[in-house]
Amino acid sequence: MSNLQLGLAILGGLVLAAVVAYNAWVTRQSAPRTARERQVEAAEPEAPVAASDADDRIEPVLGDMPAATKPEAEPTLGAMVSAPEKRPGLDALIDVIAPLALEAEVSGDAVLAALPATRRVGSKPFAVEGQNETTGDWEAPRAGQRYRALQAGVQLANRSGALNDIEFSEYVVKTQAFADAIGAAPDFPDMRAEVSRARELDAFASGHDAQLGFTLRARRAAWSPGYVAQHAAKLGFVAGALPGRMVLPGSEAGQAPILSLAFDPQAAMADDPEQSALRELALSLEVTHVPRSEQPFVQMRQVAQALAEAMDGVITDDAGQPLSRDVMDQIGADLESLYDALDARDLSAGSAQARRLFS
C-alpha cells in the first residue's frame, strides 16, 4: 500500500470516528433528562451568576413556605395528598333553604333511610341537615343522633350556571317526598325571588371567576417524569391523586392545594417513565379556591421561575408567548382587585362558600 493510500485510509477512519461521536452527542442531547442526571448535576458546583442576570430574575423565597409544604422524602407519583375535608354546610348566602317542621323528634337513622337516592337537583348540589341538640350546629344527618329540626337546601349557582325554574321545581318535589317520608312540613321560599337571587349571584360569580395557568417549556433537552417530580419536590410539591399531577399543599389541613403542576399522564404511566420525553408542563392556580393569605400568585411566580432556571425552561402563556415581568405584575395587581371584590361580597377566596360557588 502506498503512502497516499495509507494516509487516505487513516483520514477516512478519523472522519468515521468523528461522525459516530457526533451522532452519539446528538442522541444524548435529544434524550429526556432523567432524575439520575439531576443527582449528578447537584453534585457539581454551581456556575456563578452574572450580576445583570441576578437583577432580572425573581428569586424564589422558599424558606417562607409553611413547614407542611416541605417534603421529608422524595414523592412517589401514585401517592395521595390528604384525607377528604368535611363537607361545608348549607349557607343562606349561596343556598335556597327550606325549614322542615317536625311533628315529633326523629332519629338520624330514619332521616338517612328517607334521603333521596341522588344528592343533586339538575346540576346543583342538594342537601338535608339536622340541628344537633347539644351544639346547636347544623350537620349532615348521622346514625344514632336524634333531631327536632331539619332543613333541606339546594345551591343557587355554580359553574354550570344559575338555578332555574325547572331545577327549583325539582328541588320542591324532592324535598316534599323526603318530608312526607319522615312526617315533616316544608316551608318553601318564593320561587321567583330565589331564581332571581340565583341569577344575580351567577352574574357576580361569572365576572369574578379566575383560573390562572403558566406553561413551562423545555428550551433544549426534554425532561423525564422523574426529573420533573424531583425538581418539583424540592419546591414542596407532592404527588396528586392522578398520574401526571402534583400539588403544592396549603398551610392548613383540608385546604385546597395552592398550586397544581401537570404533565402528560401517559408519560407518567409508561412502562419505563424515564424514557418518556416531556417538553412542557402546566402550572395552575385556582384563584377563588385558595386563601389570599397564602399569597398564591407570589408563590406561583417563584415556583415557575425556580423550575425554569433549574430545568432550563421558559415560562409562557397557553399560546406559547413568553411572560414578562411587567405582564406578571399586572396580573398580580388585577388579582388584588378581585380579592377585594370577593371579600366585600363575603365570598373570600378559599372560603367554603367560594369553593362551592366556583365549582
Side-chain angles (χ1 to χ4, degrees):
M1 179 181 294
S2 67
N3 290 338
L4 176 60
Q5 291 174 321
L6 181 60
L8 290 175
I10 293 174
L11 179 61
L14 293 174
V15 171
L16 180 60
V19 170
V20 171
Y22 175 77
N23 287 337
W25 179 83
V26 170
T27 300
R28 178 175 175 78
Q29 292 299 311
S30 61
R33 305 188 75 178
T34 66
R36 181 174 299 175
E37 290 180 45
R38 192 205 67 77
Q39 293 170 350
V40 172
E41 292 169 356
E44 298 176 352
E46 295 184 357
V49 179
S52 59
D53 293 339
D55 292 339
D56 291 338
R57 71 182 185 182
I58 304 171
E59 288 293 339
V61 189
L62 300 178
D64 293 336
M65 286 188 176
T69 70
K70 298 178 181 178
E72 295 298 329
E74 298 292 347
T76 58
L77 293 179
M80 299 295 290
V81 182
S82 61
E85 63 179 310
K86 181 181 178 181
R87 181 186 65 82
L90 293 171
D91 191 304
L93 184 66
I94 61 171
D95 293 301
V96 178
I97 300 177
L100 304 176
L102 292 167
E103 298 175 355
E105 187 180 72
V106 63
S107 70
D109 300 81
V111 173
L112 291 170
L115 287 175
T118 63
R119 303 293 192 275
R120 299 196 76 79
V121 170
S123 62
K124 311 298 184 295
F126 169 85
V128 171
E129 294 181 336
Q131 190 172 31
N132 187 297
E133 287 191 319
T134 303
T135 65
D137 295 333
W138 291 96
E139 63 183 21
R142 293 186 294 156
Q145 294 289 98
R146 301 196 68 80
Y147 300 103
R148 293 183 181 274
L150 295 171
Q151 61 184 13
V154 63
Q155 195 163 312
L156 286 165
N158 57 15
R159 281 178 174 158
S160 297
L163 185 77
N164 56 41
D165 293 1
I166 295 175
E167 289 174 326
F168 188 93
S169 298
E170 184 182 341
Y171 158 66
V172 169
V173 170
K174 181 170 287 193
T175 301
Q176 186 65 62
F178 168 74
D180 291 343
I182 60 171
D187 181 14
F188 295 107
D190 180 70
M191 181 180 76
R192 295 263 59 85
E194 293 302 297
V195 169
S196 176
R197 196 160 68 97
R199 290 172 179 165
E200 191 276 332
L201 180 61
D202 180 59
F204 172 84
S206 298
H208 296 82
D209 200 356
Q211 298 165 286
L212 296 180
F214 291 166
T215 300
L216 188 64
R217 303 179 189 275
R219 292 181 184 273
R220 287 178 284 273
W223 312 307
S224 71
Y227 186 78
V228 171
Q230 288 201 11
H231 277 292
K234 291 294 184 181
L235 302 177
F237 283 80
V238 298
L242 301 176
R245 185 172 185 266
M246 300 183 73
V247 296
L248 182 64
S251 59
E252 297 181 8
Q255 183 179 304
I258 298 174
L259 301 173
S260 295
L261 183 153
F263 52 86
D264 183 6
Q266 297 299 322
M269 295 187 296
D271 292 337
D272 187 358
E274 290 304 290
Q275 296 305 311
S276 299
L278 300 171
R279 299 209 62 84
E280 67 177 41
L281 57 86
L283 191 64
S284 59
L285 164 61
E286 190 85 20
V287 176
T288 54
H289 287 211
V290 183
R292 186 181 198 171
S293 59
E294 294 280 11
Q295 295 188 300
F297 185 64
V298 172
Q299 293 202 52
M300 188 178 189
R301 290 182 67 167
Q302 293 172 351
V303 165
Q305 188 66 41
L307 289 175
E309 292 179 0
M311 301 196 304
D312 191 21
V314 59
I315 306 167
T316 74
D317 60 17
D318 291 341
Q321 296 300 312
L323 291 172
S324 67
R325 172 175 291 187
D326 289 343
V327 170
M328 291 191 182
D329 288 344
Q330 184 58 55
I331 292 173
D334 292 342
L335 286 181
E336 290 303 313
S337 297
L338 173 63
Y339 287 133
D340 290 341
L342 291 172
D343 291 344
R345 188 65 185 253
D346 291 330
L347 289 167
S348 299
S351 66
Q353 297 91 335
R355 291 182 61 184
R356 288 176 57 205
L357 178 61
F358 297 100
S359 64

